[in-house]
Each structure stands twice: as C-alpha cells, then as structure tokens.
Amino acid sequence: MKILFLNGPNLNLLGSRQPEVYGRTTLADIEAEIRQRATKLGVEVEFRQSNIEGELVTWVQEAKGKFGVLILNAAAYTHTSVALRDAISSVQLPTIEVHLSNIHAREEFRHRSLIAGVCIGQIAGFGAQSYILALNAAVNINLTQ
Ligand code: CA2
C-alpha cells in the first residue's frame, strides 16, 4: 500500500517560527519519523509540501489509482478551499485530515474545516504525533477495506 502525505502552505516553516504554537520539529523531521515507521509497517509513503493551492489540487487529482490513502494537512486552505474539498470528493480516495494544533481550541475562523465533510476523519492537536496517528489509522483503514 502507498500513502500520500500532502502538506499545505507555510508548513515548510515548521520548526523555524512560532515554536510556541507549532513546536520545534521541522517538516523534514516529521517526514523522517514517518518514513521509519512506514518501513516497519510495510507501507510506502510519499511526502510533499506546497504553498500553492492549485498544485495541491493537482496532486489530489493525480493520487487516484496510485495511492491507497491520502493524509492531508491542508494548513490554512483547510478553512478556505472549496477547490481542495471538490478534488477530494471527486477522487473518492480515503482521506484523513491532520493538524498539528487543535484547530477547535484556536481562533474561531480555524474551527470550520471545509474538507472535514469529505474526509474519513480528522486528527488534530497532537503536534507531530498527529501524523503518526494518521499513519496508523491509514494502515488500519486499508486492512478493513
Ligand atoms: O495545526 C495545523 O496543522 C494547521 O493546519 C497549521 C496551519 C493553520 O493555518 C491551520 O489552521 C492549522 C498553519 C501552518 C503554518 O505553519 C507555520 C509554521 C511555522 C511558522 C508559521 C506558520
């Protein structure tokens, strides 16, 4: 099974700014941890980041038939992107929404996720651990489908 991890805008800055909100772990650290765990779990992973909404939309479209599960931290596009929601909905690829922070405990504009309704579930608030929880969920989803 192949799992695609997509990361949205500004997540390339992780670890370098706002450590009080997002911690000191970089996206590269998260990727390395995910790769180690994926090897042990016997799954393949691909890990990408983009600051461009259209690029994320294209990657979601292209994932159909190539990946079994999509794990998506859409970052700020979570709260704004009808385009990403439509892309997820159209590919019908099991998608897990992931966030480092607990978006429901933050500013009101972050409480609404436009993609939540087309995802299997949402994991938020566990920092880098959210990605690991999502990986485990993805592996288990695939076992039962
Ligand atoms: O908690 C999450 O994972 C978020 O998806 C992160 C997004 C935010 O817009 C969402 O509401 C919740 C922000 C990612 C930007 O990350 C930064 C990291 C360091 C410095 C500045 C931004």
Side-chain angles (χ1 to χ4, degrees):
M1 206 240 307
K2 281 180 85 173
I3 301 170
L4 177 61
F5 283 79
L6 292 184
N7 296 281
N10 298 308
L11 285 165
N12 54 313
L13 300 176
L14 263 190
S16 64
R17 314 217 185 120
Q18 289 185 258
E20 67 287 357
V21 183
Y22 298 113
R24 295 208 178 268
T25 308
T26 66
L27 199 58
D29 293 334
I30 295 175
E31 178 177 356
E33 179 69 31
I34 288 294
R35 287 199 176 282
Q36 274 193 11
R37 287 173 184 265
T39 305
K40 286 186 192 146
L41 290 165
V43 293
E44 255 184 84
V45 293
E46 198 160 316
F47 209 91
R48 302 182 200 158
Q49 187 274 333
S50 178
N51 292 327
I52 303 165
E53 184 178 12
E55 188 162 43
L56 292 162
V57 168
T58 299
W59 287 343
V60 171
Q61 289 177 5
E62 290 173 352
K64 179 87 185 161
K66 294 188 193 134
F67 295 91
V69 181
L70 170 64
I71 295 175
L72 174 63
N73 185 349
Y77 292 142
T78 303
H79 318 295
T80 62
S81 181
V82 176
L84 261 179
R85 181 196 167 98
D86 287 347
I88 296 163
S89 179
S90 72
V91 292
Q92 294 194 315
L93 186 66
T95 300
I96 300 171
E97 177 180 357
V98 67
H99 297 285
L100 296 154
S101 62
N102 179 356
I103 56 173
H104 304 288
R106 298 185 63 193
E107 304 97 319
E108 196 154 343
F109 69 86
R110 293 187 204 273
H111 297 182
R112 187 183 65 158
S113 165
L114 291 190
I115 63 170
V118 291
C119 291
I120 297 169
Q122 183 189 75
I123 299 169
F126 297 94
Q129 183 85 12
S130 292
Y131 284 73
I132 295 165
L133 293 168
L135 173 66
N136 290 333
V139 171
N140 290 321
I141 286 160
N142 211 263
L143 284 176
T144 55
Q145 280 185 345

